[in-house]
Amino acid sequence: MSAWEELRWNIIGVLGRMFLRFWWMSCPLKVVGEDEYLRLRKSKKPVIILVWHGRLFLVPPFFRGRGVSALVSPSQDGEILMRIGSKWGFKIFRGSSSHSIVRAWVEMKKELENGGELIIVPDGPRGPYHTLKAGCLKLARETGALLVPFSFSAARKKFLKSWDRFLFYYPFSKIVAIYGNPIAIDSGMDEEQTEKERARVERVLIELDEEADGYFSPKPAE
């Protein structure tokens, strides 16, 4: 990377953090279901946080400063996330289902075996939409980490016309961040059992999005 390209990416990172911080600070936030997650972190249990590609907008400011690791694609979108996240205390591993992940896999295993936590986007970076890839289950099986689904939504929001239906929330909008129940993966599962569990975790993540989107919807009259 040339000096000019490095400067350009650094500027993008600074502007990205300024933008996200302004959006974040303007919005009142409600966090739901975090008790079990906090209990796991207090006991130093390894955790893999799962969040769909389309729900990433909240992730950098929400998890900043916690020393969380993240698997980020070696794409341009991933470079933006890396430039933003690395200055907010994230430990970044580069790799994805469409790029070499061998080195990142070794590093992620070491991080989790030492009781760390890792964010994985299980349908990224190219989809298909809401299709969970099995790598997160394999990583949990090999390290004993628990999978923790995560999602968010907002009272005032817009879904972009992208493959991931990226959720954009407006400034000064109410936001809800929701943790799902931790999911333990049996280390002795065979291929058929793993596929059933993959489908189940996929459904849990989809339902968590639906719960988040319905949080600010008017309740039907009884």
Side-chain angles (χ1 to χ4, degrees):
M1 184 178 295
S2 69
W4 164 245
E5 289 175 320
E6 181 69 22
L7 176 61
R8 182 172 65 89
W9 280 116
N10 284 337
I11 292 172
I12 289 172
V14 170
L15 294 177
R17 288 190 297 276
M18 291 173 60
F19 170 79
L20 289 175
R21 186 182 292 275
F22 166 75
W23 248 243
W24 166 262
M25 292 180 67
S26 75
C27 297
L29 173 70
K30 172 72 173 179
V31 181
V32 176
E34 70 175 341
D35 289 349
E36 281 300 302
Y37 163 78
L38 293 176
R39 182 184 63 80
L40 291 174
R41 297 312 302 143
K42 186 176 182 179
S43 61
K44 303 297 184 182
K45 296 288 186 182
V47 165
I48 299 173
I49 299 168
L50 300 179
V51 55
W52 293 126
H53 197 277
R55 303 282 167 145
L56 279 175
F57 193 38
L58 186 73
V59 168
F62 184 84
F63 287 100
R64 77 188 189 285
R66 303 191 192 184
V68 180
S69 301
L71 178 62
V72 174
S73 165
S75 63
Q76 285 200 347
D77 286 350
E79 187 69 21
I80 294 171
L81 286 172
M82 191 276 288
R83 296 289 169 161
I84 292 172
S86 61
K87 298 297 184 181
W88 269 348
F90 289 88
K91 185 175 181 180
I92 306 296
F93 303 123
R94 304 302 297 269
S96 74
S97 58
S98 56
H99 295 82
S100 176
I101 200 172
V102 175
R103 180 177 176 181
W105 190 268
V106 173
E107 293 173 334
M108 290 188 297
K109 282 188 64 176
K110 183 177 179 180
E111 183 74 13
L112 292 169
E113 287 167 352
N114 288 330
E117 61 180 319
L118 171 71
I119 297 172
I120 286 182
V121 180
D123 63 340
R126 300 177 181 175
Y129 174 67
H130 277 187
T131 298
L132 186 137
K133 298 177 176 68
C136 58
L137 275 75
K138 181 180 179 183
L139 189 59
R141 192 173 61 212
E142 292 183 5
T143 61
L146 286 95
L147 304 178
V148 176
F150 179 82
S151 186
F152 88 96
S153 195
R156 297 174 56 247
K157 59 184 178 288
K158 179 179 178 62
F159 291 99
L160 303 185
K161 294 180 179 180
S162 54
W163 71 262
D164 59 354
R165 297 191 69 232
F166 192 84
L167 190 155
F168 175 88
Y169 64 89
Y170 292 100
F172 309 105
S173 174
K174 294 179 181 178
I175 298 174
V176 62
I178 301 183
Y179 292 91
N181 291 325
I183 301 169
I185 301 300
D186 184 353
S187 61
M189 289 192 303
D190 59 24
E191 186 174 337
E192 181 179 354
Q193 291 170 325
T194 299
E195 170 54 26
K196 289 181 179 179
E197 189 68 354
R198 186 208 65 78
R200 184 177 78 86
V201 175
E202 178 180 278
R203 187 63 212 167
V204 167
L205 262 177
I206 291 171
E207 290 175 351
L208 196 65
D209 279 3
E210 293 170 352
E211 179 182 349
D213 289 339
Y215 189 83
F216 296 109
S217 299
K219 301 298 186 292
E222 297 185 4

